[in-house]
Amino acid sequence: MNSATLETELHKRAAEVHTYLDVWFASLQEERGNAMGRLFESMAYSALGPGKRFRPVLALLAGESLNAPLMKMLPWAAAVEMVHTYSLIHDDLPCMDDDDERRGRPTNHKAFDEATALLAGDALLTEAFGLIGESYSGLGTTAGKLVSILAQAAGAQGMVGGQCLDLAAEKGGRISLEELERIHELKTGRLIRAAVEGAAVAAEAPAKIVSAFAQYGARLGLAFQIADDILDSTQDGPGGRSYVAHLGIEGTREELEKVSEEARVALTEIPHAHPALAALIDWNQNRVK
């Protein structure tokens, strides 16, 4: 699959997620002209803003690999995107990264205010779990499994824990390669892994297939981070917090090849895996050539 075809495939699924979220937010718009209406506007401002929707797109591709109906996959994909959006809103706050702009627009707390942005993030996180509960309640233990996967990916043992470690590393200077890998695994990798792992659970796939998707997502997430380090970092790196700082350019390229191959091996365990899943591995490697 060439890069143009891949982009078309990804864009199509991103649009499906956007449409689903748009309809969901429209259902909340009974409250207008008051504080709650402003909260809904703040939530939609970030969740429906520009972006590639990488994580929910991965979830849809995983579902298609398992021949699962689109409408069965969309609630999970949307929930993952809501959690990701919440994390971005909070990351941008003055107490965290203190960013004024994201994707060419004012960040949420600049477009609204800090308190509204904080509450919008809180609401998106909470509503994501509500959406899972409502959408998968008729599938036995599936809803509980999905809640557990997303909670572990987003909470203290996942994204939030990774952000905590990253903030501490910013203050402490150079960290070890093992610590760097741990930060990336938790802060970025866990939610990418959860996107495809949860899709397999929602599709009621066998445990072996769920595990293969989890491995694929984990290695793909790390591969993207390593490639970003090659593109963004110098030999010194930001306080020693990059693969290039630890391994050098060539060593980092070798690590990217190793991790990418691990993602490919995981895909071999998945019959009829969507070609875009493998193409993403290739695209990520090609962007640093």
Side-chain angles (χ1 to χ4, degrees):
M1 181 180 293
N2 61 40
S3 59
T5 302
L6 176 62
E7 184 176 353
T8 299
E9 293 287 323
L10 300 182
H11 179 77
K12 174 186 174 183
R13 286 153 188 82
E16 290 169 338
V17 175
H18 183 95
T19 299
Y20 183 91
L21 284 169
D22 194 24
V23 171
W24 186 83
F25 275 107
S27 72
L28 303 180
Q29 295 305 311
E30 295 180 6
E31 299 278 354
R32 292 180 181 272
N34 60 16
M36 190 173 290
R38 182 173 170 81
L39 171 65
F40 293 156
E41 290 174 15
S42 176
M43 293 164 66
Y45 175 82
S46 292
L48 297 177
K52 295 182 179 179
R53 311 199 189 286
F54 179 63
R55 292 153 187 80
V57 166
L58 281 177
L60 294 189
L61 291 171
E64 289 179 46
S65 301
L66 300 168
N67 203 31
L70 176 62
M71 291 309 299
K72 189 176 185 180
M73 292 295 104
L74 276 170
W76 170 252
V80 169
E81 181 68 356
M82 289 161 72
V83 169
H84 178 58
T85 302
Y86 124 78
S87 74
L88 299 181
I89 294 173
H90 282 196
D91 283 354
D92 290 336
L93 288 169
C95 64
M96 301 289 279
D97 294 340
D98 194 15
D99 288 322
D100 294 341
E101 187 176 287
R102 177 175 289 278
R103 296 167 182 161
R105 301 194 306 165
T107 49
N108 196 292
H109 68 276
K110 288 295 182 179
F112 295 86
D113 55 70
E114 289 183 34
T116 301
L118 180 68
L119 292 172
D122 291 343
L124 284 167
L125 174 63
T126 308
E127 293 289 349
F129 289 99
L131 179 59
I132 292 170
E134 293 171 7
S135 302
Y136 299 103
S137 60
L139 296 178
T141 61
T142 298
K145 291 177 182 177
L146 292 174
V147 166
S148 178
I149 288 170
L150 193 54
Q152 289 180 29
Q157 299 179 72
M159 189 170 59
V160 173
Q163 178 73 347
C164 181
L165 292 175
D166 196 29
L167 289 171
E170 286 182 5
K171 298 176 182 178
R174 188 178 180 87
I175 60 176
S176 70
L177 182 59
E178 290 74 20
E179 290 170 321
L180 178 66
E181 290 175 346
R182 181 65 170 161
I183 289 171
H184 289 326
E185 175 195 1
L186 298 181
K187 184 178 177 180
T188 306
R190 282 289 173 87
L191 194 57
I192 293 174
R193 167 181 167 167
V196 290
E197 180 183 12
V201 169
E204 302 177 89
K208 179 181 178 181
I209 300 300
V210 173
S211 178
F213 269 115
Q215 175 69 2
Y216 166 80
R219 305 325 284 168
L220 181 69
L222 182 57
F224 267 79
Q225 186 61 59
I226 294 171
D228 284 345
D229 274 6
I230 293 173
L231 292 172
D232 298 339
S233 297
T234 65
Q235 284 287 345
D236 292 331
R241 294 186 299 113
S242 78
Y243 280 86
V244 176
H246 287 282
L247 302 176
I249 288 289
E250 290 309 313
T252 305
R253 289 184 183 278
E254 291 174 5
E255 185 67 12
L256 175 60
E257 176 62 37
K258 171 178 168 290
V259 173
S260 298
E261 185 57 28
E262 289 169 350
R264 290 189 185 92
V265 169
L267 277 184
T268 65
E269 300 295 320
I270 303 167
H272 313 298
H274 195 289
L277 296 174
L280 277 167
I281 304 172
D282 297 335
W283 178 87
N284 183 57
Q285 288 187 279
N286 288 336
R287 69 192 179 108
V288 299
K289 289 183 176 178

